Amino acid sequence: MYENVVKKIREADKIAALTGAGMSVESGIAPFRGEDGLWNEFDPQEYASLSAFRKDPDKSWELFRLQIEECSRAEPHEGHHSLVELEEHGLNSVITQNVDDLHQKAGSKKVLELHGNLSELICSSCRERVKTKDHLKYILDGDIPHCKCGSIFRPDVVLFGESLPLGVLRKSQHEAERTDLLISIGTSAVVQPAASIPTLAKKTGSVLIEINPKRTVLTPKVDHFLKGKAGEKLSGLMERL
Ligand code: NAD
Ligand code: ZN
């Protein structure tokens, strides 16, 4: 199985990766869906939507605090490092739905963040931005950071009911259109518009590879499905390249 994928990677000039929450599971960060998913505990509409944040920011901050705590402790795993190595074999960009900064921590050069990043906070009124780490102790103590203007800060991530950053989405679509091979890793491929990236790549002639321990809605459309964990499968590929 690896052999066919390795051959395709060798043949490709341009490679792109699309990553989702499953990419970070081996770094100890819970995904949203599935058995250990955060959504079993936190209803997205009640905690992570724009309307929920406006109605009851303290409640949304319960989820944000948990996510910020998890991400502040997390380190990239062998899969993140493998994607950095893959740059030497033609990987141009990592398009990610993750907000945990792990691709950047590992050293990936071009990361397109479709859903923002928890490492910055943005004021809900004046749009002032600050580093989350400068407020980390305060947040982990159970407090909610406020801006100089008096309004409440929120993580600079895309909430349900908000649109994605248009520039990043356009760049990601452009990458999908020009890539020869796209590897979709650890995404359930149901959250739009991110889920349309691999289909767009396929439509424009790209080879599709998927890495996931479970089949997804994308699996029937891919050329090669590597069933397993992101870290294991990506490092397995790198060993053979
Ligand atoms: P998802 O939660 O819908 O799906 C996770 C997928 O990962 C599933 O298909 C699951 O089978 C797979 N998976 C589980 N363990 C894996 C492993 N070890 N290796 C590879 N795959 C594994 O996630 P999604 O598709 O990314 O979409 C949900 C949304 O979740 C996104 O909007 C994203 O912003 C947000 N999110 C991000 C983080 C993060 O930044 N780490 C964490 C939770 C949720
Ligand atoms: Zn402000």
Side-chain angles (χ1 to χ4, degrees), residues 19-26 29-33 38 67 71 97-100 115 160 185-191 211-214 216 228-231:
T19 65
M23 179 77 210
S24 302
V25 167
E26 288 152 273
I29 302 178
F32 278 168
R33 296 173 185 77
L38 283 173
Q67 291 183 293
C71 293
Q97 299 166 82
N98 296 344
V99 293
D100 51 31
H115 295 163
F160 285 95
I185 310 156
T187 174
S188 56
V190 291
V191 181
I211 299 178
N212 200 306
K214 291 199 175 130
T216 69
K229 294 180 181 175

PDB file of all heavy atoms in Angstrom, residues 19-26 29-33 38 67 71 97-100 115 160 185-191 211-214 216 228-231, ligand 1:
ATOM      1  N   THR A  19      -5.170  19.293   6.563  1.00  0.00           N
ATOM      2  CA  THR A  19      -5.237  18.602   7.852  1.00  0.00           C
ATOM      3  C   THR A  19      -6.450  19.051   8.656  1.00  0.00           C
ATOM      4  O   THR A  19      -6.921  20.179   8.540  1.00  0.00           O
ATOM      5  CB  THR A  19      -3.953  18.818   8.688  1.00  0.00           C
ATOM      6  OG1 THR A  19      -3.833  20.201   9.042  1.00  0.00           O
ATOM      7  CG2 THR A  19      -2.714  18.381   7.935  1.00  0.00           C
ATOM      8  N   GLY A  20      -6.934  18.115   9.478  1.00  0.00           N
ATOM      9  CA  GLY A  20      -8.061  18.394  10.364  1.00  0.00           C
ATOM     10  C   GLY A  20      -7.714  17.984  11.777  1.00  0.00           C
ATOM     11  O   GLY A  20      -6.561  17.617  12.072  1.00  0.00           O
ATOM     12  N   ALA A  21      -8.722  18.010  12.632  1.00  0.00           N
ATOM     13  CA  ALA A  21      -8.505  17.779  14.062  1.00  0.00           C
ATOM     14  C   ALA A  21      -7.776  16.459  14.356  1.00  0.00           C
ATOM     15  O   ALA A  21      -7.021  16.368  15.315  1.00  0.00           O
ATOM     16  CB  ALA A  21      -9.841  17.842  14.791  1.00  0.00           C
ATOM     17  N   GLY A  22      -7.998  15.420  13.515  1.00  0.00           N
ATOM     18  CA  GLY A  22      -7.359  14.123  13.740  1.00  0.00           C
ATOM     19  C   GLY A  22      -5.836  14.194  13.664  1.00  0.00           C
ATOM     20  O   GLY A  22      -5.136  13.376  14.251  1.00  0.00           O
ATOM     21  N   MET A  23      -5.320  15.195  12.950  1.00  0.00           N
ATOM     22  CA  MET A  23      -3.869  15.382  12.842  1.00  0.00           C
ATOM     23  C   MET A  23      -3.268  15.628  14.219  1.00  0.00           C
ATOM     24  O   MET A  23      -2.112  15.277  14.460  1.00  0.00           O
ATOM     25  CB  MET A  23      -3.596  16.580  11.912  1.00  0.00           C
ATOM     26  CG  MET A  23      -2.145  16.932  11.713  1.00  0.00           C
ATOM     27  SD  MET A  23      -1.339  15.794  10.564  1.00  0.00           S
ATOM     28  CE  MET A  23       0.342  15.821  11.175  1.00  0.00           C
ATOM     29  N   SER A  24      -4.029  16.243  15.113  1.00  0.00           N
ATOM     30  CA  SER A  24      -3.476  16.658  16.418  1.00  0.00           C
ATOM     31  C   SER A  24      -3.802  15.684  17.546  1.00  0.00           C
ATOM     32  O   SER A  24      -3.363  15.903  18.673  1.00  0.00           O
ATOM     33  CB  SER A  24      -3.998  18.049  16.773  1.00  0.00           C
ATOM     34  OG  SER A  24      -3.642  18.966  15.774  1.00  0.00           O
ATOM     35  N   VAL A  25      -4.552  14.628  17.249  1.00  0.00           N
ATOM     36  CA  VAL A  25      -4.968  13.689  18.305  1.00  0.00           C
ATOM     37  C   VAL A  25      -3.748  13.072  19.000  1.00  0.00           C
ATOM     38  O   VAL A  25      -3.698  12.973  20.228  1.00  0.00           O
ATOM     39  CB  VAL A  25      -5.915  12.604  17.730  1.00  0.00           C
ATOM     40  CG1 VAL A  25      -6.114  11.455  18.696  1.00  0.00           C
ATOM     41  CG2 VAL A  25      -7.256  13.229  17.360  1.00  0.00           C
ATOM     42  N   GLU A  26      -2.726  12.701  18.215  1.00  0.00           N
ATOM     43  CA  GLU A  26      -1.523  12.095  18.815  1.00  0.00           C
ATOM     44  C   GLU A  26      -0.684  13.115  19.602  1.00  0.00           C
ATOM     45  O   GLU A  26       0.258  12.733  20.292  1.00  0.00           O
ATOM     46  CB  GLU A  26      -0.680  11.415  17.729  1.00  0.00           C
ATOM     47  CG  GLU A  26      -1.331  10.138  17.211  1.00  0.00           C
ATOM     48  CD  GLU A  26      -0.919   9.850  15.780  1.00  0.00           C
ATOM     49  OE1 GLU A  26      -1.570  10.368  14.844  1.00  0.00           O
ATOM     50  OE2 GLU A  26       0.066   9.122  15.599  1.00  0.00           O
ATOM     51  N   ILE A  29      -4.600  16.462  21.658  1.00  0.00           N
ATOM     52  CA  ILE A  29      -5.699  17.419  21.509  1.00  0.00           C
ATOM     53  C   ILE A  29      -6.938  16.686  20.988  1.00  0.00           C
ATOM     54  O   ILE A  29      -6.878  16.012  19.957  1.00  0.00           O
ATOM     55  CB  ILE A  29      -5.315  18.576  20.554  1.00  0.00           C
ATOM     56  CG1 ILE A  29      -4.063  19.287  21.094  1.00  0.00           C
ATOM     57  CG2 ILE A  29      -6.466  19.563  20.406  1.00  0.00           C
ATOM     58  CD1 ILE A  29      -3.560  20.411  20.217  1.00  0.00           C
ATOM     59  N   ALA A  30      -8.046  16.826  21.709  1.00  0.00           N
ATOM     60  CA  ALA A  30      -9.273  16.100  21.343  1.00  0.00           C
ATOM     61  C   ALA A  30      -9.872  16.663  20.061  1.00  0.00           C
ATOM     62  O   ALA A  30      -9.869  17.875  19.857  1.00  0.00           O
ATOM     63  CB  ALA A  30     -10.278  16.209  22.472  1.00  0.00           C
ATOM     64  N   PRO A  31     -10.390  15.783  19.184  1.00  0.00           N
ATOM     65  CA  PRO A  31     -11.108  16.293  18.002  1.00  0.00           C
ATOM     66  C   PRO A  31     -12.512  16.752  18.407  1.00  0.00           C
ATOM     67  O   PRO A  31     -12.872  16.659  19.579  1.00  0.00           O
ATOM     68  CB  PRO A  31     -11.158  15.079  17.081  1.00  0.00           C
ATOM     69  CG  PRO A  31     -11.133  13.910  18.001  1.00  0.00           C
ATOM     70  CD  PRO A  31     -10.383  14.325  19.227  1.00  0.00           C
ATOM     71  N   PHE A  32     -13.286  17.233  17.463  1.00  0.00           N
ATOM     72  CA  PHE A  32     -14.655  17.642  17.770  1.00  0.00           C
ATOM     73  C   PHE A  32     -15.604  16.446  17.730  1.00  0.00           C
ATOM     74  O   PHE A  32     -16.388  16.247  18.638  1.00  0.00           O
ATOM     75  CB  PHE A  32     -15.134  18.704  16.768  1.00  0.00           C
ATOM     76  CG  PHE A  32     -14.679  20.098  17.111  1.00  0.00           C
ATOM     77  CD1 PHE A  32     -14.814  21.123  16.196  1.00  0.00           C
ATOM     78  CD2 PHE A  32     -14.132  20.397  18.344  1.00  0.00           C
ATOM     79  CE1 PHE A  32     -14.406  22.426  16.504  1.00  0.00           C
ATOM     80  CE2 PHE A  32     -13.724  21.679  18.674  1.00  0.00           C
ATOM     81  CZ  PHE A  32     -13.862  22.696  17.740  1.00  0.00           C
ATOM     82  N   ARG A  33     -15.468  15.644  16.651  1.00  0.00           N
ATOM     83  CA  ARG A  33     -16.409  14.540  16.471  1.00  0.00           C
ATOM     84  C   ARG A  33     -15.792  13.216  16.904  1.00  0.00           C
ATOM     85  O   ARG A  33     -14.598  13.153  17.165  1.00  0.00           O
ATOM     86  CB  ARG A  33     -16.836  14.457  15.009  1.00  0.00           C
ATOM     87  CG  ARG A  33     -17.587  15.693  14.581  1.00  0.00           C
ATOM     88  CD  ARG A  33     -17.878  15.739  13.093  1.00  0.00           C
ATOM     89  NE  ARG A  33     -18.486  17.024  12.781  1.00  0.00           N
ATOM     90  CZ  ARG A  33     -17.803  18.153  12.678  1.00  0.00           C
ATOM     91  NH1 ARG A  33     -16.500  18.170  12.821  1.00  0.00           N
ATOM     92  NH2 ARG A  33     -18.424  19.295  12.424  1.00  0.00           N
ATOM     93  N   LEU A  38     -14.977  16.569  21.457  1.00  0.00           N
ATOM     94  CA  LEU A  38     -15.444  17.628  22.354  1.00  0.00           C
ATOM     95  C   LEU A  38     -16.941  17.873  22.241  1.00  0.00           C
ATOM     96  O   LEU A  38     -17.582  18.307  23.193  1.00  0.00           O
ATOM     97  CB  LEU A  38     -14.722  18.947  22.004  1.00  0.00           C
ATOM     98  CG  LEU A  38     -13.281  19.117  22.469  1.00  0.00           C
ATOM     99  CD1 LEU A  38     -12.701  20.400  21.884  1.00  0.00           C
ATOM    100  CD2 LEU A  38     -13.237  19.178  23.994  1.00  0.00           C
ATOM    101  N   GLN A  67      -9.648  24.535  25.322  1.00  0.00           N
ATOM    102  CA  GLN A  67      -8.867  24.395  24.082  1.00  0.00           C
ATOM    103  C   GLN A  67      -7.496  25.079  24.226  1.00  0.00           C
ATOM    104  O   GLN A  67      -6.482  24.526  23.821  1.00  0.00           O
ATOM    105  CB  GLN A  67      -9.617  25.032  22.907  1.00  0.00           C
ATOM    106  CG  GLN A  67     -10.872  24.278  22.505  1.00  0.00           C
ATOM    107  CD  GLN A  67     -11.514  24.934  21.295  1.00  0.00           C
ATOM    108  OE1 GLN A  67     -12.019  26.054  21.374  1.00  0.00           O
ATOM    109  NE2 GLN A  67     -11.495  24.257  20.171  1.00  0.00           N
ATOM    110  N   CYS A  71      -3.899  23.209  24.012  1.00  0.00           N
ATOM    111  CA  CYS A  71      -2.936  23.606  22.973  1.00  0.00           C
ATOM    112  C   CYS A  71      -1.661  24.177  23.564  1.00  0.00           C
ATOM    113  O   CYS A  71      -0.590  24.038  22.971  1.00  0.00           O
ATOM    114  CB  CYS A  71      -3.564  24.612  22.013  1.00  0.00           C
ATOM    115  SG  CYS A  71      -4.868  23.869  21.064  1.00  0.00           S
ATOM    116  N   GLN A  97      -7.354  23.035   9.096  1.00  0.00           N
ATOM    117  CA  GLN A  97      -8.551  23.492   9.804  1.00  0.00           C
ATOM    118  C   GLN A  97      -8.228  23.632  11.279  1.00  0.00           C
ATOM    119  O   GLN A  97      -9.056  24.040  12.063  1.00  0.00           O
ATOM    120  CB  GLN A  97      -9.670  22.459   9.641  1.00  0.00           C
ATOM    121  CG  GLN A  97     -10.080  22.248   8.207  1.00  0.00           C
ATOM    122  CD  GLN A  97     -10.928  20.996   8.068  1.00  0.00           C
ATOM    123  OE1 GLN A  97     -12.115  20.999   8.306  1.00  0.00           O
ATOM    124  NE2 GLN A  97     -10.295  19.899   7.690  1.00  0.00           N
ATOM    125  N   ASN A  98      -7.015  23.238  11.663  1.00  0.00           N
ATOM    126  CA  ASN A  98      -6.651  23.254  13.073  1.00  0.00           C
ATOM    127  C   ASN A  98      -6.267  24.657  13.526  1.00  0.00           C
ATOM    128  O   ASN A  98      -5.773  25.458  12.739  1.00  0.00           O
ATOM    129  CB  ASN A  98      -5.522  22.268  13.346  1.00  0.00           C
ATOM    130  CG  ASN A  98      -5.968  20.847  13.086  1.00  0.00           C
ATOM    131  OD1 ASN A  98      -7.167  20.593  13.003  1.00  0.00           O
ATOM    132  ND2 ASN A  98      -5.033  19.938  12.950  1.00  0.00           N
ATOM    133  N   VAL A  99      -6.489  24.891  14.805  1.00  0.00           N
ATOM    134  CA  VAL A  99      -6.273  26.222  15.366  1.00  0.00           C
ATOM    135  C   VAL A  99      -5.192  26.157  16.443  1.00  0.00           C
ATOM    136  O   VAL A  99      -5.089  27.026  17.286  1.00  0.00           O
ATOM    137  CB  VAL A  99      -7.609  26.776  15.940  1.00  0.00           C
ATOM    138  CG1 VAL A  99      -8.613  27.027  14.815  1.00  0.00           C
ATOM    139  CG2 VAL A  99      -8.229  25.832  16.975  1.00  0.00           C
ATOM    140  N   ASP A 100      -4.400  25.063  16.422  1.00  0.00           N
ATOM    141  CA  ASP A 100      -3.513  24.771  17.547  1.00  0.00           C
ATOM    142  C   ASP A 100      -2.053  25.176  17.338  1.00  0.00           C
ATOM    143  O   ASP A 100      -1.230  24.989  18.224  1.00  0.00           O
ATOM    144  CB  ASP A 100      -3.572  23.272  17.886  1.00  0.00           C
ATOM    145  CG  ASP A 100      -3.345  22.386  16.668  1.00  0.00           C
ATOM    146  OD1 ASP A 100      -2.600  22.790  15.754  1.00  0.00           O
ATOM    147  OD2 ASP A 100      -3.919  21.280  16.626  1.00  0.00           O
ATOM    148  N   HIS A 115      -9.288  28.263   9.739  1.00  0.00           N
ATOM    149  CA  HIS A 115     -10.168  28.576  10.874  1.00  0.00           C
ATOM    150  C   HIS A 115      -9.494  29.434  11.944  1.00  0.00           C
ATOM    151  O   HIS A 115      -9.935  29.451  13.086  1.00  0.00           O
ATOM    152  CB  HIS A 115     -10.705  27.269  11.494  1.00  0.00           C
ATOM    153  CG  HIS A 115     -11.590  26.505  10.566  1.00  0.00           C
ATOM    154  ND1 HIS A 115     -11.915  25.182  10.744  1.00  0.00           N
ATOM    155  CD2 HIS A 115     -12.237  26.879   9.433  1.00  0.00           C
ATOM    156  CE1 HIS A 115     -12.699  24.779   9.763  1.00  0.00           C
ATOM    157  NE2 HIS A 115     -12.907  25.775   8.951  1.00  0.00           N
ATOM    158  N   PHE A 160     -18.771  29.092  14.580  1.00  0.00           N
ATOM    159  CA  PHE A 160     -19.899  28.699  13.734  1.00  0.00           C
ATOM    160  C   PHE A 160     -20.757  29.942  13.501  1.00  0.00           C
ATOM    161  O   PHE A 160     -20.994  30.715  14.425  1.00  0.00           O
ATOM    162  CB  PHE A 160     -20.721  27.600  14.402  1.00  0.00           C
ATOM    163  CG  PHE A 160     -20.046  26.263  14.344  1.00  0.00           C
ATOM    164  CD1 PHE A 160     -19.266  25.807  15.398  1.00  0.00           C
ATOM    165  CD2 PHE A 160     -20.141  25.474  13.206  1.00  0.00           C
ATOM    166  CE1 PHE A 160     -18.611  24.591  15.332  1.00  0.00           C
ATOM    167  CE2 PHE A 160     -19.486  24.258  13.121  1.00  0.00           C
ATOM    168  CZ  PHE A 160     -18.724  23.812  14.189  1.00  0.00           C
ATOM    169  N   ILE A 185      -5.552  14.590   5.732  1.00  0.00           N
ATOM    170  CA  ILE A 185      -5.151  13.874   6.948  1.00  0.00           C
ATOM    171  C   ILE A 185      -6.030  14.250   8.136  1.00  0.00           C
ATOM    172  O   ILE A 185      -6.118  15.435   8.500  1.00  0.00           O
ATOM    173  CB  ILE A 185      -3.674  14.211   7.315  1.00  0.00           C
ATOM    174  CG1 ILE A 185      -2.756  14.044   6.099  1.00  0.00           C
ATOM    175  CG2 ILE A 185      -3.199  13.361   8.492  1.00  0.00           C
ATOM    176  CD1 ILE A 185      -1.472  14.867   6.170  1.00  0.00           C
ATOM    177  N   GLY A 186      -6.676  13.247   8.723  1.00  0.00           N
ATOM    178  CA  GLY A 186      -7.392  13.477   9.986  1.00  0.00           C
ATOM    179  C   GLY A 186      -8.525  14.466   9.912  1.00  0.00           C
ATOM    180  O   GLY A 186      -8.745  15.223  10.854  1.00  0.00           O
ATOM    181  N   THR A 187      -9.229  14.463   8.804  1.00  0.00           N
ATOM    182  CA  THR A 187     -10.422  15.321   8.744  1.00  0.00           C
ATOM    183  C   THR A 187     -11.630  14.488   8.359  1.00  0.00           C
ATOM    184  O   THR A 187     -11.543  13.611   7.502  1.00  0.00           O
ATOM    185  CB  THR A 187     -10.236  16.537   7.793  1.00  0.00           C
ATOM    186  OG1 THR A 187     -11.479  17.226   7.686  1.00  0.00           O
ATOM    187  CG2 THR A 187      -9.747  16.147   6.415  1.00  0.00           C
ATOM    188  N   SER A 188     -12.747  14.771   9.035  1.00  0.00           N
ATOM    189  CA  SER A 188     -13.969  14.024   8.735  1.00  0.00           C
ATOM    190  C   SER A 188     -14.565  14.498   7.407  1.00  0.00           C
ATOM    191  O   SER A 188     -15.508  13.909   6.907  1.00  0.00           O
ATOM    192  CB  SER A 188     -14.975  14.165   9.874  1.00  0.00           C
ATOM    193  OG  SER A 188     -15.231  15.527  10.118  1.00  0.00           O
ATOM    194  N   ALA A 189     -13.999  15.587   6.875  1.00  0.00           N
ATOM    195  CA  ALA A 189     -14.386  16.109   5.558  1.00  0.00           C
ATOM    196  C   ALA A 189     -15.876  16.425   5.451  1.00  0.00           C
ATOM    197  O   ALA A 189     -16.501  16.225   4.416  1.00  0.00           O
ATOM    198  CB  ALA A 189     -13.958  15.135   4.442  1.00  0.00           C
ATOM    199  N   VAL A 190     -16.420  16.945   6.551  1.00  0.00           N
ATOM    200  CA  VAL A 190     -17.832  17.350   6.501  1.00  0.00           C
ATOM    201  C   VAL A 190     -18.019  18.850   6.735  1.00  0.00           C
ATOM    202  O   VAL A 190     -19.083  19.388   6.473  1.00  0.00           O
ATOM    203  CB  VAL A 190     -18.715  16.563   7.505  1.00  0.00           C
ATOM    204  CG1 VAL A 190     -18.850  15.112   7.096  1.00  0.00           C
ATOM    205  CG2 VAL A 190     -18.214  16.675   8.943  1.00  0.00           C
ATOM    206  N   VAL A 191     -16.976  19.526   7.269  1.00  0.00           N
ATOM    207  CA  VAL A 191     -17.112  20.959   7.543  1.00  0.00           C
ATOM    208  C   VAL A 191     -16.763  21.738   6.273  1.00  0.00           C
ATOM    209  O   VAL A 191     -15.653  21.654   5.770  1.00  0.00           O
ATOM    210  CB  VAL A 191     -16.177  21.403   8.710  1.00  0.00           C
ATOM    211  CG1 VAL A 191     -16.342  22.895   8.992  1.00  0.00           C
ATOM    212  CG2 VAL A 191     -16.441  20.592   9.968  1.00  0.00           C
ATOM    213  N   ILE A 211      -5.400   9.873   4.835  1.00  0.00           N
ATOM    214  CA  ILE A 211      -4.916   9.164   6.026  1.00  0.00           C
ATOM    215  C   ILE A 211      -5.931   9.388   7.138  1.00  0.00           C
ATOM    216  O   ILE A 211      -6.210  10.534   7.515  1.00  0.00           O
ATOM    217  CB  ILE A 211      -3.526   9.681   6.478  1.00  0.00           C
ATOM    218  CG1 ILE A 211      -2.481   9.462   5.378  1.00  0.00           C
ATOM    219  CG2 ILE A 211      -3.100   9.018   7.793  1.00  0.00           C
ATOM    220  CD1 ILE A 211      -1.077   9.975   5.702  1.00  0.00           C
ATOM    221  N   ASN A 212      -6.498   8.316   7.646  1.00  0.00           N
ATOM    222  CA  ASN A 212      -7.499   8.407   8.712  1.00  0.00           C
ATOM    223  C   ASN A 212      -7.710   6.991   9.279  1.00  0.00           C
ATOM    224  O   ASN A 212      -7.702   6.027   8.512  1.00  0.00           O
ATOM    225  CB  ASN A 212      -8.824   8.943   8.120  1.00  0.00           C
ATOM    226  CG  ASN A 212      -9.760   9.523   9.176  1.00  0.00           C
ATOM    227  OD1 ASN A 212     -10.085   8.858  10.159  1.00  0.00           O
ATOM    228  ND2 ASN A 212     -10.175  10.753   8.974  1.00  0.00           N
ATOM    229  N   PRO A 213      -7.889   6.845  10.590  1.00  0.00           N
ATOM    230  CA  PRO A 213      -8.153   5.502  11.129  1.00  0.00           C
ATOM    231  C   PRO A 213      -9.533   4.976  10.715  1.00  0.00           C
ATOM    232  O   PRO A 213      -9.804   3.778  10.791  1.00  0.00           O
ATOM    233  CB  PRO A 213      -8.101   5.684  12.648  1.00  0.00           C
ATOM    234  CG  PRO A 213      -7.729   7.095  12.911  1.00  0.00           C
ATOM    235  CD  PRO A 213      -7.798   7.863  11.635  1.00  0.00           C
ATOM    236  N   LYS A 214     -10.419   5.924  10.295  1.00  0.00           N
ATOM    237  CA  LYS A 214     -11.767   5.514   9.892  1.00  0.00           C
ATOM    238  C   LYS A 214     -12.087   6.047   8.507  1.00  0.00           C
ATOM    239  O   LYS A 214     -11.589   7.104   8.116  1.00  0.00           O
ATOM    240  CB  LYS A 214     -12.793   6.089  10.870  1.00  0.00           C
ATOM    241  CG  LYS A 214     -12.720   5.468  12.239  1.00  0.00           C
ATOM    242  CD  LYS A 214     -13.999   5.699  12.998  1.00  0.00           C
ATOM    243  CE  LYS A 214     -13.929   4.966  14.324  1.00  0.00           C
ATOM    244  NZ  LYS A 214     -14.290   5.810  15.457  1.00  0.00           N
ATOM    245  N   THR A 216     -14.198   7.993   5.715  1.00  0.00           N
ATOM    246  CA  THR A 216     -14.964   9.241   5.797  1.00  0.00           C
ATOM    247  C   THR A 216     -15.792   9.383   4.514  1.00  0.00           C
ATOM    248  O   THR A 216     -15.689   8.539   3.619  1.00  0.00           O
ATOM    249  CB  THR A 216     -14.025  10.471   5.895  1.00  0.00           C
ATOM    250  OG1 THR A 216     -13.352  10.621   4.633  1.00  0.00           O
ATOM    251  CG2 THR A 216     -12.996  10.313   6.994  1.00  0.00           C
ATOM    252  N   GLY A 228      -5.190   4.499   9.219  1.00  0.00           N
ATOM    253  CA  GLY A 228      -4.354   4.529  10.419  1.00  0.00           C
ATOM    254  C   GLY A 228      -4.155   5.944  10.930  1.00  0.00           C
ATOM    255  O   GLY A 228      -4.738   6.903  10.408  1.00  0.00           O
ATOM    256  N   LYS A 229      -3.319   6.032  11.965  1.00  0.00           N
ATOM    257  CA  LYS A 229      -3.089   7.326  12.608  1.00  0.00           C
ATOM    258  C   LYS A 229      -2.130   8.195  11.795  1.00  0.00           C
ATOM    259  O   LYS A 229      -1.212   7.672  11.140  1.00  0.00           O
ATOM    260  CB  LYS A 229      -2.498   7.104  14.000  1.00  0.00           C
ATOM    261  CG  LYS A 229      -3.459   6.417  14.937  1.00  0.00           C
ATOM    262  CD  LYS A 229      -2.802   6.232  16.284  1.00  0.00           C
ATOM    263  CE  LYS A 229      -3.757   5.527  17.225  1.00  0.00           C
ATOM    264  NZ  LYS A 229      -3.117   5.213  18.499  1.00  0.00           N
ATOM    265  N   ALA A 230      -2.323   9.512  11.929  1.00  0.00           N
ATOM    266  CA  ALA A 230      -1.534  10.469  11.147  1.00  0.00           C
ATOM    267  C   ALA A 230      -0.027  10.295  11.368  1.00  0.00           C
ATOM    268  O   ALA A 230       0.742  10.208  10.402  1.00  0.00           O
ATOM    269  CB  ALA A 230      -1.952  11.888  11.520  1.00  0.00           C
ATOM    270  N   GLY A 231       0.392  10.235  12.619  1.00  0.00           N
ATOM    271  CA  GLY A 231       1.824  10.151  12.940  1.00  0.00           C
ATOM    272  C   GLY A 231       2.446   8.891  12.367  1.00  0.00           C
ATOM    273  O   GLY A 231       3.492   8.946  11.694  1.00  0.00           O
TER     274      GLY A 231
HETATM  275  P1  NAD B   1     -13.383  16.258  13.098  1.00  0.00           P
HETATM  276  O1  NAD B   1     -13.338  16.319  14.587  1.00  0.00           O
HETATM  277  O2  NAD B   1     -14.678  16.433  12.430  1.00  0.00           O
HETATM  278  O3  NAD B   1     -12.782  14.852  12.586  1.00  0.00           O
HETATM  279  C1  NAD B   1     -11.612  14.321  13.065  1.00  0.00           C
HETATM  280  C2  NAD B   1     -11.193  13.199  12.124  1.00  0.00           C
HETATM  281  O4  NAD B   1      -9.925  12.740  12.553  1.00  0.00           O
HETATM  282  C3  NAD B   1     -12.117  11.978  12.100  1.00  0.00           C
HETATM  283  O5  NAD B   1     -12.360  11.606  10.760  1.00  0.00           O
HETATM  284  C4  NAD B   1     -11.301  10.890  12.830  1.00  0.00           C
HETATM  285  O6  NAD B   1     -11.561   9.577  12.342  1.00  0.00           O
HETATM  286  C5  NAD B   1      -9.890  11.325  12.517  1.00  0.00           C
HETATM  287  N1  NAD B   1      -8.870  10.884  13.480  1.00  0.00           N
HETATM  288  C6  NAD B   1      -8.988  10.570  14.789  1.00  0.00           C
HETATM  289  N2  NAD B   1      -7.792  10.226  15.302  1.00  0.00           N
HETATM  290  C7  NAD B   1      -6.888  10.341  14.298  1.00  0.00           C
HETATM  291  C8  NAD B   1      -5.475  10.133  14.194  1.00  0.00           C
HETATM  292  N3  NAD B   1      -4.742   9.754  15.243  1.00  0.00           N
HETATM  293  N4  NAD B   1      -4.885  10.340  12.989  1.00  0.00           N
HETATM  294  C9  NAD B   1      -5.605  10.714  11.902  1.00  0.00           C
HETATM  295  N5  NAD B   1      -6.937  10.929  11.949  1.00  0.00           N
HETATM  296  C10 NAD B   1      -7.565  10.748  13.128  1.00  0.00           C
HETATM  297  O7  NAD B   1     -12.333  17.313  12.600  1.00  0.00           O
HETATM  298  P2  NAD B   1     -12.266  18.249  11.326  1.00  0.00           P
HETATM  299  O8  NAD B   1     -12.652  17.494  10.108  1.00  0.00           O
HETATM  300  O9  NAD B   1     -10.953  18.908  11.400  1.00  0.00           O
HETATM  301  O10 NAD B   1     -13.381  19.378  11.487  1.00  0.00           O
HETATM  302  C11 NAD B   1     -13.795  19.911  12.664  1.00  0.00           C
HETATM  303  C12 NAD B   1     -13.414  21.292  13.113  1.00  0.00           C
HETATM  304  O11 NAD B   1     -12.690  21.052  14.280  1.00  0.00           O
HETATM  305  C13 NAD B   1     -12.538  22.196  12.367  1.00  0.00           C
HETATM  306  O12 NAD B   1     -13.290  23.343  12.173  1.00  0.00           O
HETATM  307  C14 NAD B   1     -11.388  22.567  13.325  1.00  0.00           C
HETATM  308  O13 NAD B   1     -11.209  23.967  13.334  1.00  0.00           O
HETATM  309  C15 NAD B   1     -11.874  22.152  14.641  1.00  0.00           C
HETATM  310  N6  NAD B   1     -10.954  21.581  15.673  1.00  0.00           N
HETATM  311  C16 NAD B   1      -9.626  21.832  15.659  1.00  0.00           C
HETATM  312  C17 NAD B   1      -8.812  21.246  16.631  1.00  0.00           C
HETATM  313  C18 NAD B   1      -7.344  21.566  16.609  1.00  0.00           C
HETATM  314  O14 NAD B   1      -6.951  22.650  16.267  1.00  0.00           O
HETATM  315  N7  NAD B   1      -6.504  20.592  16.959  1.00  0.00           N
HETATM  316  C19 NAD B   1      -9.343  20.379  17.579  1.00  0.00           C
HETATM  317  C20 NAD B   1     -10.730  20.156  17.569  1.00  0.00           C
HETATM  318  C21 NAD B   1     -11.513  20.753  16.590  1.00  0.00           C
END
